[in-house]
Amino acid sequence: DAGVIQSPRHEVTEMGQEVTLRCKPISGHNSLFWYRQTMMRGLELLIYFNNNVPIDDSGMPEDRFSAKMPNASFSTLKIQPSEPRDSAVYFCASSFTSGGSRNEQFFGPGTRLTVL
Amino acid sequence: AQSVTQPDIHITVSEGASLELRCNYSYGATPYLFWYVQSPGQGLQLLLKYFSGDTLVQGIKGFEAEFKRSQSSFNLRKPSVHWSDAAEYFCAVGWSSGAQKLVFGQGTRLTINP
C-alpha cells in the first residue's frame, strides 16, 4: 500500500497567487481529513469528508480556502488568493469509518507551503 | 468544547531512561484515544490506540499507554528510551457522541540526551 499521497511536497508562491494542494487517500478509505500545522496553532483540522461529502468545514479559516473531493481517490485544497499567514504544513489524512465506529487516521507526508 | 491537553511542551530525558508523556481530555462520551509520533519533516505515524477492553495498550517501538477513565487521562510510557525516539508526540481523542474527527493535543517535543 502506497499510503496517503500528497503533492506537491513543497510549494513556494507569492502573495495573491492561487495554490492547489492535492491528496490521494488510501484505497478503500471513506473519510478524508485536511489539517494545517503551524508552530503557533499546532495541528488544526480544516475540513473533513465522508464518502466524498464535506461533513465539517468549521475549521476552514475563511472564504479564501476551499476543498473538494470529486471522487473517492482524490481531493484538493485550494487557497485563492494566498497570503503569507497561510504558510504552514498541510496534511491530508484518511481513514475507514463505518457507522459509529472510529478508526485511526493515516497521514500523508504533508505539503510545506511558503507564501512570500 | 471538547479538548485535549498535553501539559508538557518539551521534555528531555537521557538515553536509557524511562519516559512518561501526559495527556488529558475533557469529559464526554466514550473516548477513542490515540498517540501519534512525528519525526522532523515527516507526517504523523500511529503509535497505539485504545477503543475498549484492557486499559493498558501496547504499541509499536516499545511504547504503551494506560487509559484511566477516572482521571480522563491516556499517558504514554516507555521503560527505556532510545536516541531514535526523539520526535514530537501527539495525543488525539475522538468521542462516540461526536463526528468522525479527532481532536489533537498541542504535542510534546521529546529530546534525548546521549
Side-chain angles (χ1 to χ4, degrees):
Chain A
D1 193 335
V4 176
I5 298 173
Q6 291 186 247
S7 65
R9 293 293 310 275
H10 301 272
E11 177 81 29
V12 180
T13 191
E14 293 187 346
M15 182 174 61
Q17 296 298 305
E18 177 179 295
V19 174
T20 300
L21 311 181
R22 298 173 175 80
C23 176
K24 177 178 170 56
I26 292 173
S27 177
H29 283 187
N30 60 355
S31 293
L32 183 140
F33 306 80
W34 281 103
Y35 291 89
R36 179 173 66 176
Q37 185 178 40
T38 60
M39 288 291 293
M40 291 298 295
R41 300 174 68 89
L43 195 63
E44 303 173 278
L45 177 67
L46 300 177
I47 184 172
Y48 81 94
F49 297 82
N50 185 243
N51 294 322
N52 311 338
V53 176
I55 302 300
D56 184 348
D57 65 354
S58 59
M60 295 286 261
E62 49 200 272
D63 291 346
R64 297 185 298 105
F65 285 69
S66 62
K68 294 182 179 179
M69 192 164 187
N71 57 62
S73 60
F74 184 66
S75 176
T76 60
L77 177 68
K78 186 177 294 186
I79 308 172
Q80 166 62 16
S82 58
E83 296 181 3
R85 60 192 169 118
D86 301 330
S87 298
V89 180
Y90 291 81
F91 288 104
C92 175
S94 71
S95 70
F96 176 76
T97 54
S98 175
S101 70
R102 297 291 183 276
N103 274 315
E104 65 266 32
Q105 296 177 17
F106 293 81
F107 281 75
T111 295
R112 181 174 295 276
L113 173 65
T114 302
V115 183
L116 303 175
Chain B
Q2 294 161 331
S3 64
V4 179
T5 302
Q6 292 180 245
D8 304 306
I9 296 174
H10 184 203
I11 284 182
T12 300
V13 299
S14 298
E15 190 168 16
S18 64
L19 172 70
E20 182 169 28
L21 302 183
R22 296 182 290 165
C23 173
N24 294 93
Y25 59 91
S26 59
Y27 177 78
T30 303
Y32 298 80
L33 303 159
F34 307 83
W35 274 99
Y36 285 85
V37 61
Q38 183 181 29
S39 297
Q42 304 295 315
L44 278 70
Q45 180 187 18
L46 182 72
L47 281 177
L48 47 78
K49 62 185 178 183
Y50 171 80
F51 289 171
S52 64
D54 192 343
T55 56
L56 184 64
V57 294
Q58 303 297 321
I60 62 172
K61 303 184 181 185
F63 286 92
E64 66 178 27
E66 185 172 12
F67 170 51
K68 293 184 177 179
R69 184 183 296 275
S70 62
Q71 299 177 19
S72 298
S73 69
F74 189 55
N75 294 349
L76 181 71
R77 300 194 295 249
K78 186 168 184 178
S80 176
V81 298
H82 186 261
W83 64 267
S84 60
D85 293 326
E88 186 132 20
Y89 292 80
F90 292 91
C91 178
V93 183
W95 283 268
S96 60
S97 62
Q100 300 289 342
K101 64 184 180 182
L102 300 180
V103 177
F104 282 80
Q106 282 294 92
T108 297
R109 183 159 62 92
L110 176 64
T111 298
I112 308 294
N113 281 336

